[in-house]
Amino acid sequence: MDNTERIAREHSDVTRRYFLQIGAVGAAALSISELWAAEQSGQTPPLLAEAISKLGYLTREEDFKNYGRGKPKPHTLGPEKLREVGLVRDTWWLEVLPDRESNSEVERPLSRASGNALDFAGLMKLAETRTVRFMSVMTCTNGRSPCGMGLWEGVPMREVVWLARPKRNVRRAFYYGYHNDDPAQRFQSSLPIGRVLEDPPGEHPVILCYKLNNEWLTPVRGGPVRVIVPEEYGNRSVKWLQRIMLTNSFKANDTYAEWNNDTVSHLKTCARFIHTPEKIKAGEPAAITGVAQVGMSGLSKVQYWLSPQGKTLAKDDPYFSKGQWKDADILPPPDHWGGGLEDGKLPPVPSQIDAASGKPHEWPMRNAFAHWATLITAPRPGKYDLRCRTIDSNGVAQPMPRPFAKSGHNAIQKAQIVVEA
Ligand SMILES: Nc1nc2c(c(=O)[nH]1)N[C@H]1C(S)=C(S)[C@@H](COP(=O)(O)O)O[C@H]1N2
Ligand SMILES: [Mo]
């Protein structure tokens, strides 16, 4: 099953049912936003309310696409071995050290040798006053669709960095997790120290994460503790975290950089399909659903373009800017958040959710995703191409296709649809 499809399992079910029912009440010609308006004013049955109430916004832990490397992969080690290497909560440890290859000065390194490495109890002590929760999307730089949408909980990395008392000559932090005691298997990432120590307005901190969707982080998701960098691609969010190094090097010494990736790229705004029908009937509306990732440039619109195949596309138009793009509807926030949360209810998430109303402060949320839907109609039989894209908050169409990739998957998605008489 395609990953977007998996993420949206429940979602596509309810939207399909929803669209069928719209058809049944003869409202197919209305846009979804018109339907919402009608529903709000009590003119239509509460179909939409029901559909949205079941929408699986957060991804269940077991439905995340998984990218942890290693031979053997750390999460597949047996329970004994996991305990032995510090990958269970009881035996977990984290060191914060100055990089010996630079001239960084750190007053009180947290090290196993000195017996003061941070343990899980120490992390929980910090969590009592410092813990944060936020929802953000996990996407691989090279992945066509997101790995999953998570509610992450953890302690800001800076709290632990401060414990070590960095003093002089620290420009970056690099960090890595368990790697089978084989340096060649180390998966490392890095950040400017400024990003660790402070957050741009409206941005969440870089965290040492120990819970996903209100449950302890599982071994496969990088537990007991992984890094989450909310605004960047997944390679920065190192799993099975064991060591943070403070360095005076100004270079991004990331494993992913050595693998020919741009490691400093922020999440991109883009649209992906979830459900497109293979065959539809001419003149009859059909339901399309999808997901839009809200990246650095924000999201103002999702658009689609249905064009007959074989019709030559405009020349010198690599961004398809001359396509007949039409607006789809961005779905509102769900009442039930999915992700396996009990009753789909969120624990308090003050940075994103208003405690009194239970509604998000802003929608769509940045560095997260939003679902979208629309009804399409093709007048004549034939083969069609359906494309989707977004318009970011600056009015720029995204993704902006580029001949060079590696800074976040950025092609406009295309689906094929056969229209029958
Ligand atoms: N230790 C470790 N952490 C890692 C990786 C890895 O291979 N090893 N892969 C990274 C990459 S490239 C991605 S996209 C994300 C994927 O996170 P997920 O498996 O929870 O979806 O994990 C990141 N963290
Ligand atoms: Mo990745």
Side-chain angles (χ1 to χ4, degrees):
M1 202 178 351
D2 173 78
N3 192 50
T4 331
E5 188 87 39
R6 203 161 8 129
I7 288 171
R9 218 159 41 186
E10 290 173 62
H11 164 71
S12 57
D13 281 357
V14 288
T15 40
R16 203 172 297 131
R17 188 148 34 93
Y18 159 63
F19 281 116
L20 283 173
Q21 292 185 47
I22 299 173
V25 298
L30 288 179
S31 77
I32 294 169
S33 37
E34 286 169 313
L35 276 169
W36 287 335
E39 189 170 304
Q40 297 277 301
S41 62
Q43 289 167 15
T44 59
L47 300 172
L48 190 64
E50 196 210 327
I52 291 168
S53 75
K54 289 182 183 163
L55 204 150
Y57 183 78
L58 295 172
T59 307
R60 287 169 190 270
E61 186 274 335
E62 65 270 22
D63 288 341
F64 267 70
K65 192 169 166 98
N66 179 36
Y67 277 108
R69 284 105 179 161
K71 278 195 184 101
K73 293 183 196 314
H75 63 268
T76 63
L77 302 171
E80 289 295 296
K81 184 72 180 170
L82 284 177
R83 166 166 292 274
E84 182 195 319
V85 300
L87 290 185
V88 298
R89 290 191 295 282
D90 281 354
T91 61
W92 178 77
W93 50 266
L94 173 70
E95 293 188 318
V96 182
L97 306 172
D99 177 13
R100 292 263 167 259
E101 289 175 25
S102 83
N103 58 354
S104 298
E105 290 177 31
V106 175
E107 260 178 25
R108 188 180 163 270
L110 309 186
S111 78
R112 298 181 84 196
S114 331
N116 69 341
L118 186 74
D119 61 10
F120 202 78
L123 185 67
M124 290 301 99
K125 187 81 197 139
L126 288 169
E128 283 172 17
T129 54
R130 295 288 183 250
T131 200
V132 292
R133 280 191 203 105
F134 56 80
M135 291 180 264
S136 73
V137 63
M138 179 66 64
T139 305
C140 180
T141 312
N142 301 302
R144 194 174 61 80
S145 58
C147 300
M149 179 67 217
L151 169 66
W152 311 99
E153 177 174 331
V155 170
M157 186 189 278
R158 57 178 158 266
E159 302 298 337
V160 175
V161 167
W162 284 135
L163 287 181
R165 296 194 203 129
K167 208 175 162 200
R168 195 172 287 122
N169 296 336
V170 179
R171 284 188 276 183
R172 294 183 72 84
F174 63 87
Y175 45 92
Y176 50 88
Y178 178 72
H179 48 82
N180 296 305
D181 302 321
D182 170 8
Q185 294 192 23
R186 192 194 280 180
F187 189 91
Q188 179 172 304
S189 188
S190 70
L191 287 168
I193 193 69
R195 176 59 189 99
V196 175
L197 299 183
E198 62 229 358
D199 314 315
E203 193 51 87
H204 311 293
V206 172
I207 58 169
L208 309 185
C209 168
Y210 52 83
K211 277 191 179 183
L212 166 63
N213 297 346
N214 219 20
E215 302 285 343
W216 294 120
L217 205 58
T218 54
V220 66
R221 286 278 73 67
V225 179
R226 77 181 296 176
V227 174
I228 293 288
V229 181
E231 76 277 22
E232 292 188 358
Y233 284 95
N235 60 84
R236 286 255 146 112
S237 297
V238 164
K239 297 156 102 170
W240 311 295
L241 183 70
Q242 291 189 322
R243 205 163 274 125
I244 298 173
M245 306 289 280
L246 302 175
T247 182
N248 200 20
S249 166
F250 55 89
K251 291 177 183 160
N253 55 356
D254 298 45
T255 304
Y256 238 44
E258 281 159 27
W259 296 351
N260 192 28
N261 293 290
D262 172 6
T263 57
V264 291
S265 178
H266 287 243
L267 281 169
K268 289 191 161 77
T269 296
C270 61
R272 299 283 172 250
F273 292 118
I274 293 172
H275 173 72
T276 60
E278 280 167 29
K279 284 182 185 167
I280 61 174
K281 283 214 168 347
E284 285 182 20
I288 307 293
T289 62
V291 70
Q293 177 167 290
V294 187
M296 186 194 204
S297 57
L299 175 71
S300 67
K301 282 180 184 178
V302 174
Q303 297 186 318
Y304 65 97
W305 168 32
L306 186 65
S307 61
Q309 274 179 19
K311 228 182 108 192
T312 35
L313 297 175
K315 287 205 176 64
D316 301 325
D317 186 26
Y319 303 163
F320 304 115
S321 59
K322 293 173 186 152
Q324 312 274 297
W325 295 96
K326 290 184 176 158
D327 294 352
D329 288 292
I330 296 172
L331 297 183
D335 293 328
H336 285 62
W337 292 84
L341 291 172
E342 215 180 311
D343 294 331
K345 282 209 167 56
L346 292 171
V349 190
S351 62
Q352 290 173 318
I353 303 289
D354 177 64
S357 67
K359 300 281 180 217
H361 299 303
E362 59 162 15
W363 192 263
M365 301 187 295
R366 57 197 282 165
N367 304 322
F369 62 45
H371 289 105
W372 56 273
T374 194
L375 297 168
I376 57 162
T377 320
R380 277 177 296 280
K383 285 187 179 159
Y384 286 77
D385 286 332
L386 180 68
R387 291 182 172 83
C388 63
R389 71 174 188 184
T390 54
I391 304 293
D392 71 18
S393 299
N394 303 312
V396 177
Q398 302 281 359
M400 207 181 263
R402 298 173 194 183
F404 50 95
K406 291 296 182 186
S407 60
H409 189 89
N410 53 8
I412 288 181
Q413 201 183 349
K414 183 174 86 173
Q416 300 193 353
I417 296 182
V418 174
V419 180
E420 296 178 325

